[in-house]
Amino acid sequence: MEVVLNKTHRRISLRGNSILVAVCLVSLLSNAFSNTVTAKSGSRADIQNAINAAPEHGTVIIPKGVHTIQGGSLQVKKSVTISGSGKKDTELRRGSGLTWLFQAIADGFVRITNLVLDGNKGGGGIRFRSDNLEMRVDNNTLRNFGTRAVETNGNIKGVIDNNLFQENKITDVVVYGDNEASWKRPLSLGSDDAVYVEDNVFTHEKVRGAAHSIASNHGSRYVFRYNTIRDGNLNTNPIDAHGNFEYGRGSRSYEIYGNKIHSAQSFQGMYIRGGTGVIFDNEFTGKFTHPIVLEDYRSFNKTRSGRYYSETYPSIDQISDLHIWNNGYGQSTVGAHIRDRGLTRKHIQNGRDFFLKQKSGYKPFTYPHPLTKKSTAQASASKPSHGSTPEKASVASSGSAGKRVSQVTRVASVSNQINGEERVALMQSPWERLLDMVTPDL
């Protein structure tokens, strides 16, 4: 520790500190500018040029305005954050004939945030393809897509959070896994080895042909938690998990909890057709014939010879070790309805393949998802291996399907309180970020 003996020493010390601060400011300013690229305009060419020019783990800012993307998808092939200039100030509209607005084929970490994405009643929004990627899609509005707003393909982890999904046809979010490889890896419920969909709002009031808020297949692993679904009478089954039938391997796992699901008229709220998981603490309101439905494709579909695809138990990738508890519909606790088609009720049975009770030893993964608190560079640098289990947050459960009490510890809205500080920092100028970083140490 330096001891200051007199005013002269103090002046010298302050002068030295000032020089050090100035050097730090220059260094930090240079780094801030070099890591952030602002597109010259909202044209496809200028946005793509900005993405190409951004360094690994950098940030691309798209200017304010309403921009139509023509001539091909925006391609993302590196670790990068792509942001609008304010939560609702940058809108990208799908041009005629465009299949996807964004296609991300990358390793590392990709984040898409603060955008309004409009499908113009066709095509898809954001598509990820990788076997070594973490992603975050947050604080966006995704509306009017004709196929799906977000789709993941492969061994992908990450979180889709605090978005507003509006009037998308067919499916809002589709999770495709890495097929055979997923079924060969150990099952790890309550870990980060999944695509997380949390704290979003899904609405389908006018669009015709809406089927799901979320659907899955090909060895998918997903967690759907603390979301709000508001449907008219157009959404056939908001929460879906496909099984094994002509499309590769079925869904591997799903964890569905803490959601609020409303429909003016739906036959089923959840349609589960394969895999393993937990379903608990969900609230159904409105009108459902059966809030939770279980079935198996191969147990009722027949081959050309007239035989069922699965004549014997167990069927391939069928429901197994599924636990269902504490789900409410009005004043009642709901269990599960098994469709009476073909051999389904022989292949799916209560007490053997699914259980109306809490799963022993199960603990939900950390909430909110850790990626909601990390920058692009931090996420890439600290990327855990698939299947690792960080500190978990628990959700209290009654352990009995017959006794319903509100168990959800926290249901966050789409107000984005979780990540407010990070959003402010992202939209600050480099000088403002520098002042925030340096001032506490002066």
Side-chain angles (χ1 to χ4, degrees), residues 23-287:
V23 171
C24 290
L25 282 170
V26 171
S27 175
L28 289 168
L29 181 60
S30 175
N31 183 65
F33 275 119
S34 64
N35 286 337
T36 301
V37 178
T38 299
K40 292 181 180 180
S41 75
S43 71
R44 182 199 177 278
D46 284 343
I47 296 172
Q48 188 65 64
N49 287 339
I51 294 172
N52 296 343
E56 286 285 334
H57 318 309
T59 298
V60 172
I61 304 295
I62 302 174
K64 294 181 179 181
V66 178
H67 315 295
T68 298
I69 305 301
Q70 300 276 14
S73 303
L74 293 164
Q75 302 291 323
V76 182
K77 299 181 180 181
K78 63 178 66 172
S79 291
V80 68
T81 289
I82 300 172
S83 175
S85 298
K87 186 179 174 185
K88 294 185 178 181
D89 294 331
T90 304
E91 179 175 336
L92 302 183
R93 289 185 177 176
R94 170 188 161 275
S96 178
L98 197 66
T99 306
W100 296 93
L101 274 177
F102 286 95
Q103 293 212 56
I105 305 174
D107 292 344
F109 178 78
V110 173
R111 180 185 180 193
I112 297 178
T113 184
N114 290 327
L115 289 169
V116 176
L117 303 180
D118 193 310
N120 196 21
K121 299 184 179 180
I126 306 168
R127 189 186 200 190
F128 296 95
R129 296 180 67 88
S130 179
D131 281 329
N132 189 31
L133 176 69
E134 283 186 327
M135 59 81 202
R136 185 181 181 202
V137 177
D138 64 284
N139 301 300
N140 303 289
T141 297
L142 302 103
R143 66 191 183 203
N144 300 324
F145 287 101
T147 54
R148 59 274 324 250
V150 181
E151 178 183 294
T152 67
N153 294 264
N155 189 12
I156 292 175
K157 299 190 299 182
V159 59
I160 300 167
D161 67 282
N162 291 289
N163 301 286
L164 174 61
F165 293 85
Q166 286 182 305
E167 308 301 332
N168 295 305
K169 191 174 181 179
I170 303 181
T171 308
D172 291 301
V173 177
V174 174
V175 181
Y176 290 130
D178 52 339
N179 226 344
E180 293 285 350
S182 177
W183 281 87
K184 291 178 181 178
R185 291 197 306 277
L187 188 63
S188 50
L189 298 181
S191 78
D192 70 333
D193 189 12
V195 172
Y196 278 71
V197 182
E198 64 187 40
D199 297 326
N200 302 283
V201 172
F202 300 83
T203 64
H204 306 90
E205 300 291 344
K206 300 176 182 178
V207 64
R208 293 195 175 276
H212 317 298
S213 294
I214 186 168
S216 65
N217 213 351
H218 298 174
S220 56
R221 302 178 182 216
Y222 77 76
V223 179
F224 192 81
R225 61 183 183 177
Y226 308 134
N227 301 288
T228 298
I229 299 173
R230 296 196 296 262
D231 289 333
N233 60 352
L234 306 173
N235 196 328
T236 57
N237 43 286
I239 300 175
D240 184 271
H242 282 261
N244 185 320
F245 184 67
E246 296 183 347
Y247 310 110
R249 300 300 297 268
S251 301
R252 182 68 182 96
S253 68
Y254 36 84
E255 300 164 62
I256 305 166
Y257 55 90
N259 302 289
K260 295 182 179 296
I261 307 154
H262 176 83
S263 180
Q265 174 65 59
S266 287
F267 176 73
Q268 52 209 4
M270 301 182 189
Y271 191 20
I272 309 299
R273 286 164 276 180
T276 298
V278 292
I279 300 172
F280 64 97
D281 286 358
N282 299 286
E283 292 287 340
F284 296 89
T285 58
K287 190 173 182 180

Side-chain angles (χ1 to χ4, degrees), residues 284-422:
F284 296 89
T285 58
K287 190 173 182 180
F288 295 91
T289 304
H290 300 289
I292 302 174
V293 173
L294 310 181
E295 194 165 39
D296 179 65
Y297 281 128
R298 303 177 67 88
S299 298
F300 71 88
N301 280 295
K302 293 183 178 182
T303 65
R304 291 182 179 179
S305 64
R307 297 176 61 86
Y308 293 112
Y309 279 89
S310 290
E311 294 276 351
T312 59
Y313 173 85
S315 179
I316 301 172
D317 300 346
Q318 75 156 72
I319 290 170
S320 65
D321 197 30
L322 167 61
H323 287 71
I324 302 170
W325 73 96
N326 202 52
N327 299 286
Y329 180 33
Q331 299 301 312
S332 303
T333 298
V334 297
H337 173 74
I338 306 172
R339 296 287 294 272
D340 188 12
R341 295 199 288 186
L343 302 175
T344 299
R345 290 191 173 182
K346 291 184 177 180
H347 289 170
I348 302 176
Q349 295 185 10
N350 184 12
R352 182 189 68 187
D353 308 294
F354 72 96
F355 305 88
L356 299 179
K357 64 179 181 179
Q358 182 179 358
K359 184 175 177 62
S360 177
Y362 171 77
K363 292 183 179 180
F365 183 61
T366 306
Y367 175 78
H369 194 286
L371 285 180
T372 64
K373 301 180 180 180
K374 293 183 179 181
S375 67
T376 306
Q378 289 173 328
S380 299
S382 62
K383 184 178 176 183
S385 61
H386 284 273
S388 64
T389 308
E391 180 184 358
K392 304 181 185 71
S394 62
V395 175
S397 301
S398 65
S400 170
K403 187 167 84 173
R404 241 190 83 244
V405 183
S406 178
Q407 306 288 350
V408 181
T409 57
R410 179 184 177 195
V411 178
S413 69
V414 78
S415 61
N416 303 319
Q417 296 177 355
I418 297 169
N419 201 36
E421 293 181 1
E422 185 180 355

